[in-house]
Amino acid sequence: MNSPNRLLIIVLILASFVMSCTQKKSTTGDQQMNTFISDLMGQMTLEEKLGQLNLPASGDIVTGTASSSDIGEKIKKGQVGGLFNIKTAEKIRAVQQIAVDESRLKIPLIFGMDVIHGYQTLFPIPLGLSCSWDMELIEKSARLAAQEASADGICWTFSPMVDISRDPRWGRVSEGSGEDPYLGSQIAGAMVKGYQGDDLRKNNTILSCVKHFALYGAIEAGREYNTVDMSRIRMYNEYLPPYKAAVDAGAGTVMAAFNEIDGIPATANKWLLDDLLRKDWGFNGFVVTDYTAIMELEEHGIGNLQEVSALSLKAGIDMDMVSDGLLTTLKESLDEGKVTQQQIDQACRRILEAKYKLGLFEDPYRYCDVNRSKTEVFTPENRQVAREIAAQTLVLLKNDNQVLPLQAGKTIALVGPLADNRENMPGTWSVAGDFARSVSLLDGLKNALGGEAKILYAMGTNVVSDPELDARISIFGKPTKWDKRSQKEMIAEAVTAARKSDVVIAAMGEAAEMSGEAACRTNIELPENQKELLKALLATGKPVVMVLFTGRPLAIAAEKANIPAILNVWFAGSEAGDAIADVLLGKVNPSGKLTMTFPQNVGQIPIFYNHKNTGRPLAEGKWFSKFRSNYLDVPNEPLYPFGYGLSYTTFDYKNLKLSDSNLIADGELKVSVEVTNSGNYDGAEVVQLYLRDMVGTVTRPVKELKGFQKVLLKKGEIRTVEFTLTEKDLRFYNSDLQFVSEPGDFKVFVGTNSANTLEASFVLK
Ligand code: NOJ
């Protein structure tokens, strides 16, 4: 702080602040920032500018294939702009100190991390969170994540991940909000607001990074890092809206995707990063690559490191995560006239702007308050909120004979490889978690029941039976807890427990790292050994409740057919066990609704509700018709449709009414429906509104979500739920990529899920 350069920076900030006091408020901030950054850049060498574009990984947390060494030395030389995957306020303070005390210009570093669904207090995986359909809760989860991360030194998160995904073979569906662009857009905006708050300079708000731009969710065959090929019209209507919503909500940074688009990898795609993102959408933050993505352009086959680094910069990349490509090759490219000084300056300026907006020049240690990290992380209050949120994300798939909620005073056999497994509760991408302190289902039931009920626990089987596969999924501190006993012995123990009980709870499904990055599956059924255990449990004649842990929709047709009750719990975070117990015991009535279709089998994939009609649709209610769009062996219907989820109570829909049979261009149409809680419990219902544009200049989906409301209805309560539609809700991208509506007939559907709706019609005049 006492060096001449540090002083100079402070003097510059103060000077520009004093000057600005006489200027208009709306422009002062920007002018101050611009003056400050121009002055600073005026002092920077080319090498120092390139240093700002460089983002090595700390090596603290391993998530990819490369890690940089000698980071301390590089920081001193001004060759590092930020660091990621390093945590704790102490460590980050120490590294920041190298930058501000030992580098020539004392420019602070920006510290990023994958804070994806909470920091140490972990919320459900994003796919689970989306099933709450509750924007306030989702924003709150991001707010608390930012609060905790910023207390521990982090000022930038690589979230939200908003890739629309329709292929559950892809492990990363767990990280996103499912298949719907409308819902995905709302969630994208809520997450950005939650992280960034209303003022990035506050020490408890962090910069967000919307990813992976773009279309990563459409990789071929659901195989990680694979190719994407898509028409523009599909992109604009179905895949791009959530990224745009995040940008509109003010996301400060964007991460380019690994995949290619129109044959050019996103990292080097000028159309994507410049024409679309910056020029059309007006994005003015910085764009970071994904991990080693510049290096990977060589593997894609579009040039050597020097060439691809130049291509990336020219396309619109500002910061290079881990490749060292921009740092080490751009000087040569500049000398050879392959890039311009202006392009380098532009990228450097954008990164300095982000640091400025975070307030790092004023106080580089703004996020390194050791006191905060001791008092604001993993607090009982945050954990309580996480528990409440988690309970809202569980989806009741089946509940025959009202097996659930569990009756008091019964003996419970708790069986299955996920029943007593704290480490696997948080799910994928939980790098700051303290897994041993998560609440397992066994913990949760014990906490809830105390001495009231007897719980007989048996593991029953391993997660998978193949030890090699088990090793692949027992990573990142999340062992599956392989039991060496024979399958026969383990099943026998579980059956004995079941026989002594009134009800069996079978905690089955995936381990946490069976979904997430580079965790794709071609078979998305339950592993055979788990099926075998289930059969044995069902054979006891005791009622079985399957508590299904999963990071993706699973193909569970056989289980749906045979098991009386299924509660899908995703990976519900650090408080999972308590939240699941709350729902199993009826303290919380489940209200989660699926945001991704569950297929009957893997052959139906990709399967999604908002598909096109085709020229030969299958008539409604039919199983098969020759020369129609269908399969010989399985009906077209999914196992569970988008929007599906049961409650302990029942909701009846009637009296769908429109305020008019026409909607005029600048008018409004009110759509109302009467919803009755006709069952025996108070409960929340997500009332969903879909539209179909019956005739268009281009073909339109059979249904599109255009509104939803989550309403809490007391037992017996009747509520009229009203939606307002305007012409804007009917717009889409036509074949010229103009965002328009087209007059004509529309259908409106309102109901409890995408397949079970009431229906009415109107005309757009
Ligand atoms: C690779 C992943 O694709 C991305 O989502 C993540 O943010 C980075 N690694 C950094 O860990």
Side-chain angles (χ1 to χ4, degrees), residues 50 294 304-311 320 323-336 338-339 344:
L50 296 182
I294 291 186
N304 62 28
L305 188 65
Q306 186 191 340
E307 287 160 345
V308 297
S309 300
L311 281 175
D320 169 357
S323 293
D324 273 4
L326 301 187
L327 179 76
T328 58
T329 69
L330 285 186
K331 182 176 182 320
E332 207 176 338
S333 293
L334 182 66
D335 293 343
E336 292 168 3
K338 291 179 178 151
V339 299
I344 294 172

Side-chain angles (χ1 to χ4, degrees), residues 680-753:
N680 292 323
Y681 300 84
D682 298 347
E685 165 75 337
V686 180
V687 182
Q688 301 160 39
L689 180 145
Y690 299 86
L691 284 183
R692 177 166 179 189
D693 186 347
M694 299 306 292
V695 181
T697 52
V698 293
T699 60
R700 307 285 297 120
V702 295
K703 259 177 199 166
E704 288 178 289
L705 183 72
K706 290 291 176 179
F708 58 88
Q709 286 180 42
K710 193 167 179 177
V711 290
L712 189 65
L713 295 187
K714 295 260 173 229
K715 178 181 162 184
E717 188 179 341
I718 304 173
R719 177 95 53 91
T720 300
V721 176
E722 190 177 86
F723 296 88
T724 304
L725 289 176
T726 69
E727 175 273 335
K728 285 201 177 82
D729 297 309
L730 315 185
R731 292 185 190 172
F732 63 96
Y733 289 93
N734 66 14
S735 55
D736 295 324
L737 300 181
Q738 293 157 331
F739 194 52
V740 295
S741 62
E742 293 176 346
D745 293 340
F746 284 80
K747 272 191 183 168
V748 56
F749 310 85
V750 181
T752 185
N753 65 57

Side-chain angles (χ1 to χ4, degrees), residues 63 84 114 158 172 211-212 255 258 290-291 429 517:
T63 62
F84 76 104
D114 288 285
F158 304 133
R172 303 197 80 170
K211 69 188 189 187
H212 305 85
M255 184 186 292
F258 284 126
D290 203 339
Y291 202 101
W429 280 121
E517 187 173 350

Side-chain angles (χ1 to χ4, degrees), residues 442-488:
L442 180 59
D443 296 329
L445 284 173
K446 280 187 184 163
N447 293 342
L449 295 170
E452 271 174 47
K454 215 166 160 197
I455 303 168
L456 306 175
Y457 166 73
M459 184 162 165
T461 188
N462 285 309
V463 176
V464 292
S465 57
D466 172 3
E468 275 181 32
L469 177 56
D470 187 75
R472 267 179 242 147
I473 59 177
S474 288
I475 53 170
F476 302 146
K478 298 169 195 163
T480 60
K481 300 202 171 152
W482 180 266
D483 191 319
K484 290 201 184 81
R485 286 177 296 163
S486 72
Q487 166 88 344
K488 209 168 151 202

